[in-house]
Amino acid sequence: MTTKDSQFAKGDTLTLTIDALATGGKALTRLDCMVIFMDRGLPGQTVEVKITKKKKRFAEAVLTKVITDAPDQISPRCAHFGVCGGCLWQNMEYSKQLAWKKRFVSDSLSRIAGAQDLEINDPIPSPETFYYRNKMEFAFGDRRGDITVGLRRYGTHNVVDLQECYLQTERTIEIIDLVREFVNATPALTAYDANSRRGYLRFLVIRETKHTNQCMVQVITAKDTTNNDQQHRAIRQLGQLLQERMNVTTFIHSLRTHTTQVAYGEKTYVVLGQKSLTEVLNFEKDMPSLSLSSHADGFFQVNTNAAARLYETAVEMAELTGTEKIWDLYCGVGGIALTAAPRAADVFGMEITEQAIASAKENATINGIENVRFVSGDVRSALTNEPSMPDVVFVDPPRSGMNPEVVDLIMEQTPKRIIYVSCDPATQARDIAVLGNQYTVTTVQPVDMFPQTAHIENIIRLDLKAE
């Protein structure tokens, strides 16, 4: 069936030319009055797709073959590109990546928030477009009896046995190579299979600092089912080997019994080194450097140098004078709160994770900042019980956005300014639609934290409307 045929059904194969990209990175084209969304691809490519869903006004498809490249397509750097699900835009020039991300922000605010004719600033580019990540999560797999280590194959749960990767550092692949060699030479070790729920090795998490030369390796496993804890003892030996040969400063072994495939352990043991890493954020503007400590399971922006741009931009957009009382909701380990503190009178940070709040308090001490308070717990409860009245509120919620009750509680406090940081323009726009009843969007500033992917961080400033 060709693009001239409008009567197609689920399961049909079509040949299409991609017209544009949708928020989140899906490709799309229009066939008569029908929009067809494809799971990937670039504008200008002629592709073969298989229809997986058809509704009244749109259809969904998976790309099965690229027939003709896009006119401005570039050669991807990584040999695993197209197979690995780690990054989908290595074949797009970086300036065009930024242009599409700006369009995603604009489309979300227009379509979801109803905010028309907003001026969207050009995205602040990442200082590095490769080797920028400070953390990556890898999975263990099995290929005909050999244990593989890598990222998920695109669209599946199978593991691509990585031989190269340009997202974290060159040392990352060296660590993966050493881990792969060790686990395959140790008979007691097996890869976990999610279908049978058998096996031992589940995830390998590598964290590195950009400015303090620290490296944390975390191996997440299932329970040891061998006699005399042979598997657990082998993991401790792996940690010692990594310390000796790769200068790993912290090695952690975590146990995960839940069957959900998430790189998080219910129990965590520090086998070697310190329990946390400390990174330094160097700001471009007139701000002192900030040291931030984070535990193994604590949240920290994965792009260290871009995080510095993000935090300083958010604080600058707030136009603080030194007299403001600030709330920082979903504060994590305190990055924004501690960046803003030297320019404010009082800062109150809230986060649901106790470990993150412990890190935030530690970070305040490390940096000698005294005008901050951090509280752990559900943000809704914390706001209800908080007596202070904020002048400025920073929010940096998870990808799902803010709970509607939190949005209502913020508006009840009527801060004069809200700085909303988000990694998902769509859920951010949903919340902006509600906040727009009392606030006016005055600045929209995307910040690229994730080169080679369709993800974009976005900062929006909202000012309280006049009575």
Side-chain angles (χ1 to χ4, degrees):
M1 184 172 289
T2 69
T3 56
K4 295 180 180 180
D5 297 307
S6 58
Q7 300 300 317
F8 58 86
K10 178 180 177 181
D12 285 349
T13 297
L14 306 180
T15 299
L16 306 168
T17 299
I18 297 174
D19 294 331
L21 298 174
T23 302
K26 287 188 175 183
L28 66 87
T29 192
R30 290 171 175 81
L31 188 58
D32 293 337
C33 297
M34 178 77 70
V35 177
I36 301 177
F37 293 97
M38 291 150 276
D39 59 336
R40 51 183 166 154
L42 297 182
Q45 286 181 334
T46 302
V47 297
E48 180 183 278
V49 302
K50 184 176 181 179
I51 301 297
T52 57
K53 180 187 294 186
K54 185 181 179 184
K55 298 294 184 179
K56 185 176 181 179
R57 295 185 178 274
F58 74 93
E60 294 181 4
V62 294
L63 188 153
T64 55
K65 182 196 300 184
V66 176
I67 299 172
T68 305
D69 288 343
D72 55 359
Q73 187 172 327
I74 63 175
S75 298
R77 185 170 182 174
C78 183
H80 298 297
F81 179 78
V83 178
C84 170
C87 49
L88 299 180
W89 279 6
Q90 271 194 36
N91 57 348
M92 185 191 298
E93 200 272 328
Y94 186 55
S95 63
K96 289 185 171 57
Q97 295 182 28
L98 295 178
W100 277 108
K101 293 180 183 191
K102 178 179 178 179
R103 181 167 169 177
F104 293 166
V105 171
S106 177
D107 289 349
S108 293
L109 288 171
S110 174
R111 177 173 50 86
I112 301 173
Q116 307 294 331
D117 302 322
L118 279 179
E119 180 179 350
I120 313 295
N121 291 331
D122 289 338
I124 297 173
S126 171
E128 301 92 15
T129 58
F130 290 101
Y131 299 129
Y132 64 86
R133 292 186 66 99
N134 56 46
K135 173 190 173 184
M136 289 189 70
E137 299 173 355
F138 304 96
F140 291 97
D142 184 277
R143 184 179 60 191
R144 297 185 295 274
D146 290 333
I147 299 175
T148 57
V149 189
L151 299 173
R152 300 293 184 187
R153 183 177 292 272
Y154 182 82
T156 76
H157 293 291
N158 297 328
V159 175
V160 176
D161 203 25
L162 284 187
Q163 306 302 315
E164 60 182 4
C165 183
Y166 298 95
L167 291 185
Q168 195 161 5
T169 68
E170 295 179 31
R171 178 164 66 169
T172 301
I173 288 297
E174 294 176 2
I175 290 173
I176 288 175
D177 288 343
L178 183 56
V179 170
R180 183 190 295 112
E181 178 185 350
F182 178 88
V183 298
N184 278 291
T186 307
L189 298 179
T190 57
Y192 181 83
D193 181 82
N195 294 320
S196 66
R197 300 181 181 178
R198 293 180 180 178
Y200 180 68
L201 299 167
R202 301 191 68 172
F203 298 99
L204 172 72
V205 184
I206 302 175
R207 295 173 176 82
E208 299 176 87
T209 60
K210 293 290 184 180
H211 304 292
T212 59
N213 196 32
Q214 295 177 317
C215 179
M216 175 187 290
V217 174
Q218 180 183 18
V219 176
I220 302 173
T221 73
K223 289 182 178 180
D224 189 337
T225 58
T226 63
N227 295 326
N228 301 319
D229 290 335
Q230 295 178 51
Q231 293 174 325
H232 285 355
R233 287 191 287 117
I235 292 300
R236 289 192 289 271
Q237 293 171 5
L238 173 60
Q240 292 170 351
L241 181 65
L242 288 168
Q243 184 182 53
E244 294 167 2
R245 292 177 52 179
M246 298 305 306
N247 196 29
V248 167
T249 52
T250 299
F251 183 77
I252 291 176
H253 180 197
S254 297
L255 296 179
R256 179 168 183 79
T257 58
H258 200 286
T259 57
T260 305
Q261 288 289 75
V262 178
Y264 175 83
E266 294 96 354
K267 294 182 179 179
T268 294
Y269 306 93
V270 179
V271 179
L272 296 168
Q274 301 298 315
K275 63 182 180 179
S276 62
L277 298 179
T278 300
E279 182 59 286
V280 176
L281 297 185
N282 297 311
F283 301 113
E284 286 188 333
K285 307 297 174 60
D286 185 23
M287 295 183 183
S289 296
L290 186 68
S291 295
L292 292 178
S293 175
S294 178
H295 293 79
D297 296 320
F299 172 78
F300 187 78
Q301 294 284 356
V302 300
N303 188 332
T304 301
N305 293 327
R309 307 291 175 268
L310 179 76
Y311 294 165
E312 69 181 355
T313 301
V315 171
E316 283 188 333
M317 286 170 61
E319 293 187 347
L320 302 176
T321 64
T323 62
E324 291 86 358
K325 293 183 178 180
I326 290 174
W327 284 3
D328 182 11
L329 312 187
Y330 315 94
C331 66
V333 299
I336 293 177
L338 297 172
T339 303
R343 300 187 176 193
D346 177 74
V347 180
F348 175 53
M350 290 171 262
E351 173 64 55
I352 193 169
T353 308
E354 291 183 7
Q355 192 176 65
I357 289 298
S359 293
K361 291 178 178 178
E362 180 182 350
N363 291 330
T365 301
I366 291 173
N367 291 279
I369 297 174
E370 298 180 350
N371 62 329
V372 293
R373 293 180 298 123
F374 292 107
V375 172
S376 64
D378 179 76
V379 172
R380 287 169 293 181
S381 299
L383 287 181
T384 302
N385 298 322
E386 173 55 31
S388 69
M389 299 282 288
D391 300 303
V392 178
V393 173
F394 290 88
V395 295
D396 188 3
R399 184 170 295 276
S400 57
M402 289 193 286
N403 184 288
E405 293 180 35
V406 174
V407 176
D408 291 341
L409 286 167
I410 292 173
M411 291 195 295
E412 286 177 11
Q413 299 297 323
T414 61
K416 64 181 181 182
R417 192 163 299 138
I418 300 171
I419 307 297
Y420 191 145
V421 181
S422 174
C423 61
D424 189 328
T427 57
Q428 183 185 45
R430 179 202 66 202
D431 295 340
I432 295 298
V434 180
L435 291 168
N437 294 321
Q438 287 183 207
Y439 289 84
T440 300
V441 174
T442 56
T443 310
V444 182
Q445 180 60 69
V447 181
D448 189 26
M449 308 284 287
F450 316 100
Q452 319 309 329
T453 78
H455 300 298
I456 183 67
E457 202 92 6
N458 191 47
I459 313 172
I460 291 181
R461 168 175 157 169
L462 301 105
D463 287 352
L464 186 66
K465 294 178 181 178
E467 288 283 344

